[in-house]
Amino acid sequence: QVQLVESGGGLVQSGGSLRLSCAASGSIFSIYAMGWYRQAPGKQRESVARITSGGTINYADSVKGRFTISRPNAKNTDLQMNSLKPEDTAVYYCNAEGLVDYWGQGTQVTVSS
């Protein structure tokens, strides 16, 4: 089992920045990749960024050049979000891929115009 805890969400004005952090505990040796998803009201959950243990990174087209994912160690992943837009408003979830997918509880990001 893997437990994920996110932190760092909040309210920011358009053009501002936020940094999300995710800490994993439990069977972290089983984690192959970590990433961030988001879900806006009335929309499906979508992948935002993903980083594998080998360092391969993928971003959604909508955040390329604005968001940066990092994984400083096996237990943590961060998402630096710059030049935020109102359409980035969503609940952001940390994800870990192992034998199964694990999810955090989510953290709200609200970008005001």
Side-chain angles (χ1 to χ4, degrees):
Q1 287 289 334
V2 173
Q3 295 78 42
L4 302 172
V5 177
E6 303 107 334
S7 60
L11 172 64
V12 65
Q13 289 189 332
S14 181
S17 299
L18 282 174
R19 187 176 184 88
L20 304 182
S21 296
C22 176
S25 61
S27 302
I28 59 173
F29 61 88
S30 68
I31 298 174
Y32 169 73
M34 297 185 76
W36 293 89
Y37 285 68
R38 67 186 181 188
Q39 187 167 19
K43 294 188 177 181
Q44 289 189 328
R45 190 174 296 190
E46 62 174 356
S47 176
V48 175
R50 177 180 182 265
I51 182 168
T52 70
S53 297
T56 300
I57 293 174
N58 298 100
Y59 294 103
D61 288 342
S62 59
V63 306
K64 283 180 181 176
R66 301 188 298 121
F67 290 11
T68 302
I69 189 171
S70 60
R71 192 174 174 187
N73 54 57
K75 298 189 297 182
N76 298 89
T77 184
D78 299 323
L79 186 68
Q80 178 65 41
M81 305 186 293
N82 298 328
S83 302
L84 282 161
K85 305 175 181 179
E87 50 263 44
D88 295 318
T89 295
V91 178
Y92 283 71
Y93 296 91
C94 180
N95 167 264
E97 298 174 31
L99 296 177
V100 298
D101 272 359
Y102 300 96
W103 297 93
Q105 79 284 359
T107 185
Q108 178 70 46
V109 170
T110 302
V111 184
S112 62
S113 56

